[in-house]
Amino acid sequence: MKLWKILVSVISAAVIITAAASAETINTIEQAEQTALLNNLEYKSAVLEVLKAEHALEGIIKLDSSSISLSGSYGQKNTDNTDAAEASADDSGFGWQASASLPVIEQLSLGASVDEDFTGTFSISLNPLSHSGSTEETRLAYESKLAAAEDKATEISDAAVAGYLDWAAAVSDYDVKLDTADVKQILYEDEKVRFEKGESTLDDVREAFTAWSESRTSANDALSKLQTAEAELYSILNIDSAVVNLELPAEADLFNNIETMQNEINSAELAINGSYAVYSAETAAQSLELQLKNTWLFEPDLSISGNLSISPSNLQPTFSATAAVSFGLDDWNAEERAELAAELEISRRQAVQTINAEQLSLKQAVTAAETAAINYEAAVIELEQAEELLDEADFLHELGEYSAAELEETRLEYEQIKNNLFSAAASHYAALRALAAYI
């Protein structure tokens, strides 16, 4: 996983978590992506998890565990010959002490203190057997949250783009089929007039009526598909249809995006280690490896400390040192290590299975992209042929051999093929986006 992809989002996480789409109109692929991300609660939760993991990070210098304290006390002395109420001011006093503690690393801690007599004490504590590994595990958890946020962003973006392009194709398809139904009606009525003049047969009239009936059915089906695609898109984008308007994207944007992605993707360089599924499986095994590494078979506690004191009244420093070792029956971790080893073995096998599955998925994604590219190229050729037929129909109309209705019918056939090209381009773009997960 390329974790840098999500860093910009994490930097502006406060905006992502609190913001909602404010655009009144969506008419580009990029706007659809951004709107979906800004309004998706799952993505906001993923970014919030990244922030939490970032705050939990432990540095090499554990400054977050450092402390500074200042304490004071007031006391009054009593003696056998003097009542407390008659004690002189000299028998009472105010005392204070300031101290600081700085855990440098997990095994080493430094400290210092000074009291009202300006006696200073410097201390050092060493625990060489300490090995929790929390820093490594916390950083691994942070990177895992980053990868999860990136994967969620990709998932949401892909769904938004696919939904937006499906809706755009459905709009154009409905418009063409609705106009086609109107033209078929005109052609049917023209055929009836020709039949009355003896210029056509009853079968010709029936065929014209059947074509009109089928075109009306196609228009109704297209309307149903459009309504479904629109509802799904508003749901994906999490927007209110009464507030945000949807407009068709410029076709050039889709074609330009395809060209850009084709230049970015090299099939020979695609690898499954760019897949989130593989990263997640390998990270799970790595986390268990860390736990096993930091779970010793026998974990006694060994502490070594030293104190150096210097007093203004006695410039000769004094030094003291202590060492202690302790252990108990609960310091034996044979069962825990055995359980971790078993979990690690299962996790490694799961990682291997995930790798095998992703290798197959990559092959399928490459095949799907190649097929989509072929369909896209075929649609381009089909559109070129349709354009030639439209030019010919226009020429025949000028000669009087084609009626206005027949010319319009040919134009609508051209528009339908143009819509087919848009759908093929959308499928090609989706296939390229799927390959991008393996870059």
Side-chain angles (χ1 to χ4, degrees):
M1 294 295 291
K2 292 178 174 55
L3 302 177
W4 56 267
K5 291 181 180 179
I6 198 65
L7 290 179
V8 175
S9 298
V10 174
I11 293 173
S12 57
V15 176
I16 292 175
I17 293 173
T18 59
S22 59
E24 296 180 355
T25 301
I26 294 176
N27 53 20
T28 68
I29 295 174
E30 289 72 20
Q31 284 180 341
E33 285 188 85
Q34 294 171 2
T35 300
L37 288 173
L38 289 175
N39 290 339
N40 190 279
L41 296 181
E42 290 184 2
Y43 178 57
K44 291 185 176 184
S45 297
V47 173
L48 183 58
E49 289 298 317
V50 173
L51 289 178
K52 291 179 179 179
E54 184 180 26
H55 294 159
L57 280 176
E58 295 185 32
I60 297 177
I61 304 298
K62 299 186 176 183
L63 297 178
D64 57 336
S65 301
S66 303
S67 65
I68 298 177
S69 65
L70 178 64
S71 61
S73 63
Y74 178 81
Q76 192 171 32
K77 298 179 181 179
N78 290 325
T79 65
D80 294 340
N81 300 323
T82 306
D83 189 87
E86 297 178 352
S88 65
D90 293 338
D91 294 328
S92 64
F94 177 78
W96 59 269
Q97 184 182 47
S99 62
S101 176
L102 174 63
V104 180
I105 57 177
E106 185 176 3
Q107 294 84 6
L108 178 64
S109 177
L110 302 178
S113 65
V114 62
D115 59 20
E116 71 275 8
D117 296 329
F118 295 99
T119 298
T121 301
F122 302 93
S123 62
I124 179 172
S125 297
L126 182 64
N127 192 341
L129 300 183
S130 181
H131 58 282
S132 67
S134 58
T135 300
E136 292 176 307
E137 292 176 11
T138 304
R139 182 165 296 280
L140 188 62
Y142 170 66
E143 293 177 353
S144 297
K145 296 297 183 182
L146 276 177
E150 178 192 340
D151 183 63
K152 179 57 65 175
T154 301
E155 175 189 333
I156 295 168
S157 296
D158 288 348
V161 170
Y164 182 51
L165 295 179
D166 285 346
W167 169 81
V171 170
S172 299
D173 186 57
Y174 172 65
D175 291 342
V176 170
K177 288 183 176 177
L178 185 62
D179 291 342
T180 299
D182 293 338
V183 171
K184 293 293 185 181
Q185 182 180 5
I186 295 174
L187 291 173
Y188 164 63
E189 293 172 351
D190 287 347
E191 198 65 44
K192 287 196 299 182
V193 172
R194 292 181 60 198
F195 174 74
E196 291 173 357
K197 293 180 179 180
E199 297 176 357
S200 66
T201 66
L202 184 59
D203 287 339
D204 294 332
V205 176
R206 289 173 178 170
E207 288 179 2
F209 176 78
T210 300
W212 175 37
S213 178
E214 291 176 349
S215 65
R216 285 185 300 173
T217 300
S218 296
N220 290 334
D221 291 342
L223 176 60
S224 177
K225 291 180 180 179
L226 171 59
Q227 292 173 337
T228 300
E230 186 174 64
E232 290 179 352
L233 179 56
Y234 275 112
S235 177
I236 292 172
L237 300 182
N238 290 297
I239 55 178
D240 187 350
S241 59
V243 177
V244 183
N245 296 321
L246 296 173
E247 294 182 358
L248 296 178
E251 293 182 358
D253 290 344
L254 175 58
F255 299 139
N256 289 337
N257 287 348
I258 289 175
E259 183 177 357
T260 299
M261 293 202 72
Q262 284 177 326
N263 293 332
E264 292 177 351
I265 296 175
N266 184 348
S267 298
E269 297 179 355
L270 297 177
I272 59 172
N273 55 7
S275 164
Y276 173 72
V278 172
Y279 174 84
S280 180
E282 291 179 341
T283 300
Q286 187 178 354
S287 178
L288 287 171
E289 286 176 356
L290 284 174
Q291 294 180 45
L292 183 60
K293 172 185 175 182
N294 293 306
T295 302
W296 292 359
L297 181 62
F298 180 56
E299 298 188 27
D301 182 55
L302 173 62
S303 61
I304 303 172
S305 61
N307 294 296
L308 181 66
S309 299
I310 301 177
S311 174
S313 60
N314 182 11
L315 297 179
Q316 184 69 29
T318 60
F319 177 78
S320 62
T322 59
V325 61
S326 62
F327 55 88
L329 294 178
D330 58 345
D331 292 325
W332 291 93
N333 299 315
E335 292 184 1
E336 185 176 352
R337 280 184 56 83
E339 292 174 357
L340 285 172
E343 291 182 33
L344 177 58
E345 180 61 24
I346 294 174
S347 183
R348 285 172 173 167
R349 291 185 179 182
Q350 289 176 338
V352 171
Q353 292 177 355
T354 301
I355 290 173
N356 293 336
E358 283 300 297
Q359 287 176 336
L360 179 59
S361 296
L362 175 56
K363 291 180 181 179
Q364 293 173 338
V366 171
T367 301
E370 292 173 349
T371 302
I374 293 173
N375 293 337
Y376 174 62
E377 293 172 359
V380 171
I381 296 174
E382 187 177 1
L383 182 63
E384 293 173 352
Q385 294 174 344
E387 188 173 2
E388 293 177 358
L389 292 176
L390 179 59
D391 290 340
E392 182 179 353
D394 187 59
F395 176 70
L396 293 174
H397 174 66
E398 292 177 356
L399 295 177
E401 298 182 13
Y402 254 37
S403 66
E406 289 174 319
L407 175 60
E408 181 64 11
E409 182 182 30
T410 304
R411 187 192 69 79
L412 290 174
E413 289 176 353
Y414 167 79
E415 291 296 329
Q416 183 63 61
I417 293 174
K418 188 177 180 181
N419 289 346
N420 294 342
L421 172 60
F422 183 86
S423 296
S427 298
H428 185 30
Y429 183 48
L432 290 174
R433 290 176 67 95
L435 285 183
Y438 298 96
I439 294 179

